[in-house]
Amino acid sequence: MVISAKNVGQTYRSGGRPLTVLRAIDLDIEAGEKMAIVGPSGSGKTTLLGLLAGLDQPTTGTITLLGQDLAALDEDGRAAFRAANIGFVFQAFQLIPTLTALENVLVPLELAGALKQAKASELRARASDLLGRVGLGDRIDHYPAQLSGGEQQRVALARAFAGAPRLLFADEPTGNLDADTGAIIIDLMMELNEAAGTTLVLVTHDLDLAHRTGRTVRLAHGSIASDVRTPLPASSRAPSTATI
């Protein structure tokens, strides 16, 4: 298993009282698997995603990623582990406004220390290639404010895959996009993920998107209400060539 959560719980203090967001979560995810986490607002979806990605530490239980117990690492160690192994796609894009599209895609490569192992020109070529694959080959020098929402999410996708992560986490990746643009983004994400063989875990309210992953975990009141695997279609929808 590349991701294993055992008896994971998360409790915060709210108004001086304990607020339990997650309780007794047991979850194993295999290499190359695609999984969606769904459930009503407040059910703990984003909290669980953050724990599985090592962005936060659980109050109870253990989480192991790629054989590494995250609790055994200090904050710097967890940050280095994420930089080396994990990609992220966020609802709000989370691009750095003062950097161009190309520079945003280069960020994870620099954080992973890749600049010490490869020439800057090679890294720029990889970043440029990824931006070309998501249809932004002619926009690499544009800043986020000069890009549409769909274009910004394309940059975010290229950035997420820049470091060849073994694990990809996506939090409502189409939440800020209209339906047509969101469909194109999902096609691109699935295409890139299939090509890279990355393990994908995403949070979504879109059940059509959830069904495209092959496994849907539904949360309710902080617990796993169901964990359903469904056969994927023999051939998925062809990636769109439309521009955003």
Side-chain angles (χ1 to χ4, degrees):
M1 300 298 171
V2 296
I3 304 175
S4 183
K6 302 297 183 186
N7 196 35
V8 166
Q10 187 73 317
T11 299
Y12 300 106
R13 303 293 297 183
S14 178
R17 297 181 179 181
L19 174 63
T20 298
V21 180
L22 294 173
R23 50 177 63 82
I25 298 292
D26 288 315
L27 192 61
D28 289 326
I29 302 171
E30 299 178 0
E33 189 169 13
K34 295 190 288 290
M35 189 190 83
I37 302 172
V38 303
S41 297
S43 60
K45 301 185 300 299
T46 295
T47 298
L48 178 57
L49 190 78
L51 293 176
L52 294 178
L55 296 175
D56 199 359
Q57 290 294 291
T59 307
T60 60
T62 61
I63 295 177
T64 303
L65 299 184
L66 302 169
Q68 174 65 59
D69 180 357
L70 296 183
L73 301 175
D74 60 17
E75 186 173 344
D76 288 342
R78 289 193 296 272
F81 182 87
R82 290 193 301 269
N85 297 289
I86 296 174
F88 297 93
V89 180
F90 300 98
Q91 177 177 345
F93 318 136
Q94 301 292 353
L95 300 180
I96 300 173
T98 56
L99 299 182
T100 65
L102 181 66
E103 290 166 341
N104 266 282
V105 177
L106 282 168
V107 166
L109 296 174
E110 296 171 349
L111 291 177
L115 286 176
K116 299 178 182 178
Q117 305 166 17
K119 296 179 181 178
S121 59
E122 294 173 350
L123 298 180
R124 289 179 66 87
R126 173 168 174 76
S128 296
D129 175 67
L130 279 166
L131 286 168
R133 291 174 64 185
V134 298
L136 292 178
D138 60 344
R139 308 281 274 171
I140 63 174
D141 294 324
H142 287 67
Y143 291 90
Q146 298 172 307
L147 303 173
S148 68
E151 288 172 332
Q152 290 185 60
Q153 194 61 301
R154 286 181 182 230
V155 175
L157 282 177
R159 179 186 60 187
F161 285 97
R166 296 175 65 184
L167 309 173
L168 178 66
F169 296 90
D171 189 6
E172 295 285 3
T174 61
N176 282 341
L177 305 174
D178 63 77
D180 290 341
T181 301
I184 295 170
I185 290 298
I186 292 306
D187 282 342
L188 286 169
M189 184 171 72
M190 292 298 185
E191 179 187 8
L192 290 169
N193 191 72
E194 286 291 335
T198 306
T199 302
L200 170 64
V201 181
L202 61 86
V203 163
T204 184
H205 283 95
D206 184 344
L207 293 183
D208 288 336
L209 169 56
H211 291 155
R212 291 186 66 179
T213 66
R215 182 181 180 187
T216 302
V217 171
R218 178 177 295 278
L219 297 185
H221 308 294
S223 298
I224 294 179
S226 63
D227 184 351
V228 179
R229 287 177 168 84
T230 55
L232 291 173
S235 60
S236 57
R237 197 169 87 190
S240 173
T241 58
T243 56
I244 299 176

